[in-house]
Amino acid sequence: MTRVFVSALLVLAMATVAGAGIPSAGDSYITMSAGGKGLTTCPAGDGGAYSYITVTALRADLTPIQGIPASSFFFTVAGTGSGNVSISAFDTETDVSGNIRFQADSSGAIAYGSLTVSVQIYTVVLTSTPGTLWCNTYDLDGTGTVTPIDLGNFAGKYGTVSEDCDYDWGGGVVNPIDLGKFAQHYGH
Ligand SMILES: [Ca+2]
């Protein structure tokens, strides 16, 4: 076997691996909250709102990688209450555009605010854009129970633009829809 032949085999092998799809850390990216939704949480774990997290897997030449299974994606969530957040697969693998969707959910109350979501595909940690997961909660004072104090806090925001009480992520305005949602979680 000549050196040239071995080199050719190596080049072919590397091209095959690249063709199978090694994501580029700096070109693949996360898109958060398609549909404009964030994550609403309740101490009872039944906040119910959800947030899509879309990961787009691209090679260094920006061509999409199709067929990466959901089990090859590993998420890290950082920020207050992040331990309550779970991320599960919505799609089974990346599609023809390199896209795959996941969903964030919460097992309990977390303080409202922003959490940072990072993702690793296989062993490749994406460096381009960590995602921001916006959260709000019915337990506005963070005591672990939705009480009259929380109702008072909510009432103070009613009719205003306040994303922390805009429970349907409807553009920031706290309206009767949000009151209805708050009422469903009162006492939790
Ligand atoms: Ca409370």
Side-chain angles (χ1 to χ4, degrees), residues 123-165:
T123 58
V124 178
V125 179
L126 302 198
T127 57
S128 51
T129 49
T132 298
L133 178 59
W134 294 100
C135 303
N136 59 20
T137 180
Y138 298 105
D139 180 19
L140 290 164
D141 63 353
T143 59
T145 312
V146 185
T147 67
I149 294 174
D150 300 304
L151 176 59
N153 289 338
F154 177 84
K157 301 290 180 65
Y158 192 76
T160 70
V161 174
S162 179
E163 287 199 334
D164 57 348
C165 291

Side-chain angles (χ1 to χ4, degrees), residues 13-62:
M14 290 173 67
T16 302
V17 167
I22 300 300
S24 166
D27 296 302
S28 302
Y29 58 92
I30 298 178
T31 306
M32 303 295 293
S33 302
K37 290 178 183 288
L39 180 62
T40 298
T41 63
C42 176
D46 63 349
Y50 57 87
S51 177
Y52 279 121
I53 300 170
T54 302
V55 183
T56 303
L58 302 175
R59 300 178 183 86
D61 65 2
L62 303 185

Side-chain angles (χ1 to χ4, degrees), residues 1 3 15 19 30 42 44 49 55 67 75 78 82-83 89 94 104 112 118 129 131 134 136 151 163 168 174 186:
M1 194 179 291
R3 184 181 296 269
I30 298 178
C42 176
V55 183
F75 288 89
S82 56
T94 53
Y112 58 78
S118 305
T129 49
W134 294 100
N136 59 20
L151 176 59
E163 287 199 334
D168 66 343
V174 184
Y186 188 73

